[in-house]
């Protein structure tokens, strides 16, 4: 064998073998994992799913809103805590957003606010 082919080889009882290499140490991948509680309200028009991050400070992270008035159903994720608080305070601009941009009826608005009140009562908003 030429000398450069000899690297990584070993001779035992006249037979040449490729030296085994130790398995590389595999560094275990660390990923940040979040754990959530979920509160759900559903009627024939909407489904509201509040995701509560219980990994840290147990606070509302987002609300997934499913509009069942359209086929296929339209899913959105809302994550603006300030907007939720303004809805609770019945801020006219926030309520107008629900009615106008989101197409909520007066009854839908009241259901959403009742849902937010439940989240706040539990200390997550």
């Amino acid at each position: 064998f030429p000398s450069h082919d000899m690297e990584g080889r070993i001779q035992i009882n006249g037979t040449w073998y490729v030296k085994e290499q130790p398995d590389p140490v595999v560094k275990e991948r660390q990923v940040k994992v979040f754990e959530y509680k979920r509160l759900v309200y559903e009627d024939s028009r909407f489904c509201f799913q509040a995701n509560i991050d219980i990994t840290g400070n147990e606070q509302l992270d987002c609300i997934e809103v499913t509009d069942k008035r359209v086929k296929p159903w339209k899913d959105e994720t809302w994550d603006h805590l300030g907007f939720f608080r303004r809805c609770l305070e019945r801020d006219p601009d926030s309520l107008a957003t629900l009615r106008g941009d989101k197409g909520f009826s007066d009854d839908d608005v009241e259901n959403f606010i009742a849902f937010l009140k439940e989240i706040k009562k539990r200390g997550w908003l």
Side-chain angles (χ1 to χ4, degrees):
F1 293 103
S3 64
H4 72 279
D5 286 340
M6 298 304 292
E7 293 177 29
R9 295 182 178 266
I10 188 169
Q11 184 180 27
I12 301 174
N13 297 330
T15 305
W16 286 95
Y17 298 92
V18 175
K19 286 184 184 178
E20 288 187 12
Q21 298 297 321
D23 290 334
V25 177
V26 178
K27 186 175 180 182
E28 191 169 320
R29 182 176 295 230
Q30 298 292 318
V31 294
K32 185 163 175 88
V33 176
F34 298 91
E35 187 173 353
Y36 286 92
K37 288 181 187 178
R38 181 172 273 193
L39 291 177
V40 178
Y41 166 80
E42 185 170 15
D43 62 20
S44 62
R45 296 168 52 83
F46 287 96
C47 179
F48 306 132
Q49 299 180 61
N51 295 311
I52 312 303
D53 181 359
I54 61 172
T55 307
N57 59 359
E58 291 205 19
Q59 186 169 0
L60 176 64
D61 184 55
C62 66
I63 296 177
E64 296 173 22
V65 179
T66 301
D67 185 345
K68 300 190 306 185
R69 301 171 297 173
V70 295
K71 300 288 185 211
W73 292 351
K74 181 181 172 189
D75 295 314
E76 293 184 336
T77 301
W78 300 353
D79 61 358
H80 195 288
L81 297 179
F83 174 73
F84 301 147
R85 289 184 183 107
R86 287 191 301 276
C87 286
L88 279 171
E89 297 164 358
R90 297 188 176 274
D91 170 68
D93 291 336
S94 298
L95 299 182
T97 297
L98 289 176
R99 288 186 179 100
D101 295 348
K102 305 304 177 188
F104 279 33
S105 68
D106 289 343
D107 195 47
D108 298 330
V109 169
E110 293 307 317
N111 287 339
F112 185 67
I113 290 173
F115 183 65
L116 292 174
K117 284 180 180 178
E118 185 62 30
I119 296 167
K120 184 176 180 180
K121 180 174 89 175
R122 294 173 185 229
W124 297 327
L125 178 63

